[in-house]
């Protein structure tokens, strides 16, 4: 059986710091960082642009065959996304696209459409992949599984500051409310809901600084990889 590439799965709710941590871990370990949320966001953006409601199962399914979703890792290690030839790396981060991404990601057709693509990356690279169902569905045999979480208020505060840093207007109570709604939707859906894999290590970063979180994660991942 072919083996050789290693994989680290990081799952958890919105705003837990998955992408920040996964990006840094990937740099430290020289693994490819794969942000699967960005792929769902690109499908969400496609629904938004076409005026299709994210919960419109038939409408969103009909869009899928026509979507040209590009994923490229630049020399900077960053994951750039394109939709039908246009670079949408920045646009998919818009606040209203989060709800669209969460909505379309609940549709089994969308998950099936993206599953093989995610697995293919792990067959050809050492990967650190973050998302909601990486340890449970996409890479059930990942070498290391982390479930990264933090209290909702801490996660909402980080998201709020992230939006401000990007120059977007933001309102903390609204960010917290949207985050709780999204957690609920991502966790309660029937198709690949957000949940901790049985063999995942739980890391709660509520009281930890970025540096403390990173050190803890790097130690955990290195220990498990034997690296
Ligand atoms: O990680 P994120 O906030 O960029 O993800 C956007 C949405 O995509 C999130 O609300 C749920 C969905 N998602 C998913 O269902 N499965 C994944 N593996 C990654 C993201």
């Amino acid at each position: 059986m072919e083996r050789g590439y290693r994989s680290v799965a990081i799952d958890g709710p919105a705003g837990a710091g998955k992408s920040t941590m996964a990006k840094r871990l990937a740099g430290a370990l020289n693994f490819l960082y794969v942000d699967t949320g960005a792929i769902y966001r690109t499908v969400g953006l496609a629904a938004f642009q076409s005026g299709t409601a994210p919960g419109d199962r038939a409408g969103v399914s009909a869009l899928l065959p026509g979507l040209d979703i590009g994923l490229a890792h630049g020399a900077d290690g960053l994951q750039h996304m394109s939709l039908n030839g246009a670079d949408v790396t920045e646009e998919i981060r818009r606040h209203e696209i989060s709800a669209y991404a969460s909505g379309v990601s609940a549709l089994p057709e969308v998950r099936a459409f993206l599953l093989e693509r995610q697995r293919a990356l792990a067959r050809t690279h050492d990967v650190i992949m973050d998302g909601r169902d990486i340890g449970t569905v996409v890479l059930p045999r990942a070498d290391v599984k982390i479930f990264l979480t933090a209290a909702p208020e801490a996660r909402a505060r980080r998201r709020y500051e992230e939006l401000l840093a990007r120059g977007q207007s933001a309102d903390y109570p609204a960010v917290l409310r949207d985050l709780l709604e999204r957690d609920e939707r991502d966790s309660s859906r029937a198709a690949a809901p957000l949940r901790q894999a049985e063999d995942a290590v739980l890391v709660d970063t509520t009281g930890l600084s970025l540096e403390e979180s990173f050190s803890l994660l790097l130690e955990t991942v290195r220990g498990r990889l034997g690296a």
Side-chain angles (χ1 to χ4, degrees):
M1 222 189 85
E2 68 180 291
R3 194 61 201 94
Y5 288 105
R6 290 163 305 164
S7 53
V8 178
I10 303 190
D11 292 303
K18 296 186 299 295
S19 55
T20 309
M21 291 297 135
K23 222 177 284 175
R24 283 188 62 179
L25 287 169
L29 298 164
N30 199 23
F31 277 29
L32 183 72
Y33 166 51
V34 180
D35 173 358
T36 65
I39 315 177
Y40 285 96
R41 282 173 180 273
T42 304
V43 177
L45 179 66
F48 177 78
Q49 287 178 344
S50 68
T52 309
D56 175 356
R57 189 168 176 178
V60 174
S61 299
L63 291 177
L64 296 176
L67 296 186
D68 174 14
I69 296 177
L71 186 158
H73 287 88
D76 50 8
L78 293 183
Q79 178 178 313
H80 295 266
M81 298 302 304
S82 68
L83 175 60
N84 302 326
D87 189 313
V88 295
T89 309
E90 285 295 318
E91 205 174 349
I92 57 171
R93 299 289 152 201
R94 279 176 24 215
H95 188 54
E96 63 267 41
I97 302 306
S98 300
Y100 269 76
S102 177
V104 299
S105 73
L107 305 174
E109 291 80 359
V110 171
R111 304 205 74 83
F113 180 70
L114 299 179
L115 182 61
E116 179 49 30
R117 181 136 193 202
Q118 297 169 79
R119 286 185 174 158
L121 285 164
R123 278 199 297 272
T124 46
H125 304 81
D126 288 326
V127 291
I128 296 210
M129 204 175 271
D130 80 8
R132 303 294 188 288
D133 63 335
I134 309 306
T136 51
V137 176
V138 179
L139 305 176
R141 301 183 58 189
D143 298 281
V144 187
K145 298 181 185 177
I146 306 277
F147 194 82
L148 191 66
T149 191
E153 293 73 18
R155 294 188 283 115
R157 173 68 52 194
R158 291 176 196 159
R159 265 288 140 99
Y160 170 71
E161 285 167 4
E162 203 178 289
L163 288 167
L164 292 185
R166 281 210 189 92
Q168 299 185 26
S169 59
D171 167 42
Y172 174 77
V175 171
L176 176 60
R177 189 195 58 226
D178 291 354
L179 184 130
L180 291 172
E181 271 176 22
R182 201 142 72 89
D183 283 355
E184 169 59 23
R185 202 167 38 229
D186 295 344
S187 307
S188 63
R189 68 185 179 214
L194 168 66
R195 65 176 179 81
Q196 183 180 345
E198 275 172 19
D199 49 353
V201 182
L202 176 69
V203 176
D204 187 324
T205 64
T206 304
L208 303 183
S209 67
L210 270 182
E211 288 312 314
E212 289 166 337
S213 305
F214 179 66
S215 304
L216 176 61
L217 280 168
L218 185 61
E219 195 183 312
T220 307
V221 172
R222 278 209 165 121
R224 303 231 155 195
L225 281 176

